[in-house]
Amino acid sequence: RIRLSGKSSYEHCLVLGPTGSGKSSAFFIPNLLDLDGDHSAVVIDPKGEMCEKTRPYLESIGYRIVKIVPLDKTKNEYKYNPLWLTEDDQKIHEIAQIILINGGKSIEIATGSGMSSSEWINMSVPLFSAALGYVKQFGVTKSIPEAIDIILRDNMQQMEEKFKQNKFAYRQFLIFKSSAESEKTLASIKSVLTTNVQIFLEDKIEDFVTPEIIYDEYGDSQIDESSMFNPTMLRERPTVLFICVPENQANYMMPITSVLYFQILNMNIAHADGHPILCFFDEFPNAGSVLGIDTIISTCRSRRIGISICTQGVEQLKQVYGENITSTLLNNLKTKLIFAGLTGESAKYVSELAGYTTVETKNYSTGNTTGKTVAESLFTGQQVSRSGARRELYTTDEIRTMDKSKVLVIAHSANPIMDDINAYYTQKKYTSKLD
C-alpha cells in the first residue's frame, strides 16, 4: 500500500532480510516491472534469474539491457576496463587503493588470516599507481594486467626509466622508493601488491578487463570502444544493467566489483545530465569496500541517483565498513524495509529504530469489607486504577517472528507501518508482464 515517490527514492533505501525472506520476489522484481521507461537501473543479480525473467518485458517498453557476467565470457555482453575509464590522476590513485584494499579483504576471507596489513597495502599503493599511470598513457591495452606485468617483470631501474615519462607515475614511484629503504622491505611490498592483485592475471578475469584492440590500415592500434562498458551509458538512454556474480564467488571478486560500483556511482555523479538512475544492490557488503561510500550516498541525492542497499543484516555492513561509516550509511538510507526473520544485532537495531509506545494497564481493587456482612460487601464499590507502561513498539522477538507476508516500513520521519509484501507472483499486474 505504500510507494515512494521518485524524490523520496533518491533519498535511498535500506532493505534488511535474511536469505529466503522474499527480497527478490517482493522488492527487486516488482520494482523492475514498475520502471517507467525514463529511469535507468543497476541490478546486482547473482544468478542472472531476474535478468532472464524481466528482460523480454523491459525490452518491449524500450529499455536497453546490458548484462555483465565477469566469470563467463560466453554470456558476458561487454568488457570492463577500470583504468580506461579513469578521468584523471586522482581516480587512478583511487582505483589502486580500492583494488589493493579489497584484494587484501578477499584473501583474508578466503584464508581466515590477516596476511595483508593496512600498512603494507598503503606502501604498495604508490607503486601500483605509478604502473597504472604509465600504462594509462603509454600502454597498448591500457589495462590493469598490463600494469601488473611491468611490476612483475621489470627491476627498479627499468621501472624508473619508464615512469619518468609520465609526471604522475614518476612522483608516485619516488614516494614508493622512499618507503622501500631496504631490499627486504621492497620485496615485502611487491609481494603484498602482487598477491592482492593476482585475480587480474587469471584467464577469465584478464579477458574480462582487457579490451579488444583494432588496427587501422597503417598498423596503428586503438581500443574497440564499442565492446567496452561505460557507466555513463545509463544516462544516455534508458538502460537496465544486470551484474551477475555468483554468491559463492562474491568474496573472490571483491577487487573488481568494488571498483565497478565505485565507478558506476562516481561517473554518474560527475555526469548528472540525462536519465535518472535507480540502483538495486543485493547483498551489497559482498561487493567489498567501495571507497567513500558514505560521501557518495549523500551526494547521489542531488544527482537523481537512488540507491537501495540490500543486506542480510547490519552486521555485514559493519564487517566491511566498520562502525562509523556504517552508522553514517544507515542514517543516509532514509527508508528502511524490514522483512521477516531478522535476529541478533539487526533485530535490535530495528527495534530501537521503531521506537517506543506506552501500554495502558488496569488494576482492579475493592473497598475494605472487614467486619461487614455479605449483603453490605456487595455494595462496596470496585476501584480501577490506570497506569502507563513504556515498552518497545516492536521487540526483537516480534521482529524475528514477523509474519512472512508482511514488511515493516520505517520511512523518513513517519511512524512505522506494517504493510503487506508486494510479491509479484500474486498479482496479475505483474504476472501479465511476464507471460
Side-chain angles (χ1 to χ4, degrees):
R1 295 186 295 274
I2 300 165
R3 183 177 176 88
L4 292 181
S5 66
K7 181 180 178 182
S8 294
S9 296
Y10 305 143
E11 295 178 341
H12 317 307
C13 296
L14 172 70
V15 183
L16 285 176
T19 301
S21 59
K23 296 191 296 293
S24 293
S25 60
F27 181 73
F28 285 97
I29 292 175
N31 271 295
L32 288 172
L33 296 176
D34 279 336
L35 286 175
D36 58 5
D38 181 42
H39 284 77
S40 286
V42 182
V43 187
I44 297 180
D45 184 14
K47 299 175 183 176
E49 292 176 349
M50 286 186 284
C51 179
E52 183 179 349
K53 194 178 292 287
T54 62
R55 184 172 195 157
Y57 170 72
L58 293 171
E59 287 181 331
S60 74
I61 61 172
Y63 274 99
R64 170 176 56 187
I65 304 300
V66 175
K67 188 177 182 181
I68 292 181
V69 192
L71 294 169
D72 189 347
K73 65 180 181 180
T74 65
K75 297 179 180 178
N76 193 45
E77 298 175 357
Y78 284 87
K79 292 184 177 243
Y80 167 60
N81 183 351
L83 183 57
W84 176 68
L85 292 170
T86 54
E87 299 168 321
D88 52 44
D89 294 341
Q90 178 188 343
K91 296 303 180 188
I92 292 174
H93 189 266
E94 286 174 344
I95 68 166
Q97 277 185 291
I98 295 169
I99 290 169
L100 288 170
I101 289 170
N102 285 284
K105 286 182 183 293
S106 177
I107 293 168
E108 288 172 15
I109 291 170
T111 63
S113 66
M115 59 182 299
S116 296
S117 72
S118 58
E119 181 182 358
W120 288 112
I121 289 174
N122 289 338
M123 288 192 286
S124 303
V125 169
L127 177 59
F128 193 30
S129 298
L132 293 175
Y134 172 79
V135 167
K136 171 72 174 178
Q137 182 174 356
F138 299 106
V140 176
T141 62
K142 303 188 187 302
S143 66
I144 290 170
E146 192 175 0
I148 296 171
D149 282 341
I150 292 174
I151 297 170
L152 289 173
R153 295 170 183 171
D154 291 3
N155 59 34
M156 290 286 283
Q157 184 177 350
Q158 290 170 322
M159 284 193 286
E160 185 160 4
E161 288 302 313
K162 285 181 177 176
F163 297 156
K164 277 182 179 178
Q165 300 175 62
N166 178 281
K167 183 178 179 181
F168 168 76
Y170 190 51
R171 281 182 172 173
Q172 291 296 309
F173 182 73
L174 292 177
I175 293 171
F176 160 70
K177 278 182 68 176
S178 68
S179 300
E181 296 174 349
S182 67
E183 288 295 324
K184 185 177 180 181
T185 303
L186 171 62
S188 296
I189 293 173
K190 288 188 70 172
S191 175
V192 169
L193 193 161
T194 53
T195 299
N196 287 5
V197 299
Q198 61 185 334
I199 184 175
F200 288 92
L201 301 181
E202 298 187 15
D203 289 344
K204 290 179 181 178
I205 302 304
E206 185 172 9
D207 179 78
F208 175 58
V209 300
T210 303
E212 301 289 344
I213 302 298
I214 54 178
Y215 295 88
D216 62 22
E217 57 184 309
Y218 304 104
D220 295 326
S221 63
Q222 64 180 35
I223 290 173
D224 179 10
E225 296 188 10
S226 65
S227 67
M228 302 300 297
F229 168 67
N230 189 327
T232 58
M233 64 172 56
L234 295 161
R235 292 290 198 190
E236 293 164 1
R237 61 174 276 195
T239 301
V240 181
L241 167 64
F242 291 93
I243 302 168
C244 305
V245 175
E247 291 172 345
N248 63 344
Q249 297 291 324
N251 293 331
Y252 167 73
M253 290 291 293
M254 278 182 175
I256 296 168
T257 52
S258 57
V259 174
L260 175 58
Y261 302 137
F262 173 80
Q263 290 191 317
I264 287 173
L265 295 172
N266 270 284
M267 290 182 68
N268 284 300
I269 286 172
H271 300 82
D273 293 334
H275 294 275
I277 302 169
L278 298 174
C279 300
F280 302 106
F281 289 156
D282 192 16
E283 299 298 340
F284 184 69
N286 290 343
S289 177
V290 177
L291 187 67
I293 186 63
D294 48 341
T295 303
I296 290 171
I297 285 281
S298 60
T299 307
C300 280
R301 176 180 173 181
S302 61
R303 305 301 196 276
R304 297 177 305 141
I305 300 174
I307 300 175
S308 295
I309 287 181
C310 305
T311 178
Q312 295 182 36
V314 295
E315 301 93 332
Q316 284 186 312
L317 284 171
K318 288 183 180 180
Q319 287 171 1
V320 175
Y321 291 105
E323 190 81 33
N324 292 336
I325 292 178
T326 297
S327 178
T328 303
L329 265 179
L330 295 176
N331 288 336
N332 280 301
L333 300 167
K334 297 298 186 183
T335 298
K336 280 79 173 177
L337 306 179
I338 296 92
F339 287 80
L342 286 181
T343 60
E345 187 176 350
S346 294
K348 182 180 178 183
Y349 166 74
V350 173
S351 177
E352 292 176 351
L353 187 68
Y356 295 86
T357 187
T358 300
V359 179
E360 184 183 82
T361 60
K362 296 179 181 180
N363 294 309
Y364 298 91
S365 62
T366 57
N368 187 3
T369 60
T370 304
K372 295 182 180 180
T373 65
V374 175
E376 290 172 330
S377 298
L378 291 174
F379 292 96
T380 303
Q382 188 181 59
Q383 298 175 343
V384 181
S385 62
R386 292 176 172 83
S387 61
R390 185 172 182 261
R391 59 149 282 178
E392 298 93 340
L393 186 61
Y394 292 98
T395 66
T396 55
D397 193 55
E398 288 169 337
I399 297 296
R400 180 183 64 82
T401 59
M402 273 173 52
D403 186 330
K404 289 186 177 181
S405 67
K406 301 292 183 180
V407 58
L408 179 62
V409 182
I410 304 177
H412 301 252
S413 58
N415 289 325
I417 298 169
M418 188 68 76
D419 199 2
D420 297 325
I421 65 169
N422 192 34
Y424 79 91
Y425 52 82
T426 64
Q427 301 174 73
K428 190 173 182 180
K429 68 175 182 177
Y430 294 128
T431 56
S432 62
K433 295 176 180 179
L434 300 176
D435 291 338

